[in-house]
Amino acid sequence: MTRRHAEKNATRARQEVTGQPYQAALKDLRDERLAHREGVIDQAPWAPADDGPVPSELSGLVRYHSYAICRYLNDAIHRARYTGLPFYDWQRMTLYHLTDALEHLSLLIGTVTAYLQEQHVAPGRIRSHLQVGNDNAVKAFITPSALSHLAGLTGKTVAEDRSGIWHDVGASIAGGTGWACPEREDALEVALAALYGNYPDDEQAFDNLPAPLKERALALNELLRPFTEPESTK
């Protein structure tokens, strides 16, 4: 059962108990989950860097690496579809794809974490965000590649022997050119929103998207619905 279907089932169960409209039951369910999440977070004070909008370079960072991660996961999923592929080749190539995806995910986490540290976000808050219990676990994410990547992302120069490819990729992400490809990243965002957006039960599911992407997500959602709806609702 997907998270989307689990949420639908939980909302409908609440409807049966409370008699609420679907939208009201969904809102109450999400509010309760948010309150629970906030209740278990380490109550370290918020640093000033937590105020204001999300920096655009961080949004671009997440989009870039999410695209790469999904591309490698797609390769891993479809590796077994190749007709007559020997098991040795499957295991070799599948693990290549998965570890490539893991490299992007680890680098993404480490770069965001290093950024938060530079902005003097409280260590306890960072540990809470990373869901780890000590600072050594935090340090494990902040590799030399992550620091170089962050330097490129934020327009800083580093020693030539510490620059490397990830510094250049970071600079490309910040500029939306070169290694980055906003059009492909838009396509991924539309596809993921359509797949997981819980529309039409949640009519505001796509409201966070820019208008052109929302229009595309709504259109794609119609095409995906036969594949994503549980059998009982078809």
Side-chain angles (χ1 to χ4, degrees), residues 63-64 67 181-193 209-210 212-214 216-217 220:
R63 279 164 48 94
Y64 172 84
Y67 177 85
C181 184
E183 293 79 11
R184 288 183 311 205
E185 293 156 17
D186 281 350
L188 172 68
E189 191 168 352
V190 166
L192 293 178
L209 296 175
L213 300 192
K214 177 178 178 179
R216 291 163 62 186
L220 183 56

Side-chain angles (χ1 to χ4, degrees), residues 34-44 46 124-125 128-129:
L34 179 60
H36 173 73
R37 222 168 20 240
E38 291 177 343
V40 299
I41 287 177
D42 173 24
Q43 295 301 315
W46 286 100
R125 181 63 60 177
S128 175
H129 294 337

Side-chain angles (χ1 to χ4, degrees), residues 139-154:
K139 291 177 182 177
F141 286 110
I142 306 175
T143 62
S145 292
L147 293 173
S148 177
H149 199 34
L150 177 60
L153 188 73
T154 54

Side-chain angles (χ1 to χ4, degrees), residues 201-221:
D201 292 318
D202 180 3
E203 294 181 354
Q204 298 177 330
F206 302 139
D207 284 357
N208 61 308
L209 296 175
L213 300 192
K214 177 178 178 179
E215 182 178 351
R216 291 163 62 186
L218 286 167
L220 183 56
N221 179 263

Side-chain angles (χ1 to χ4, degrees), residues 213-233:
L213 300 192
K214 177 178 178 179
E215 182 178 351
R216 291 163 62 186
L218 286 167
L220 183 56
N221 179 263
E222 289 299 316
L223 295 176
L224 291 177
R225 191 175 298 174
F227 301 97
T228 58
E229 288 185 343
E231 289 294 331
S232 60
T233 65

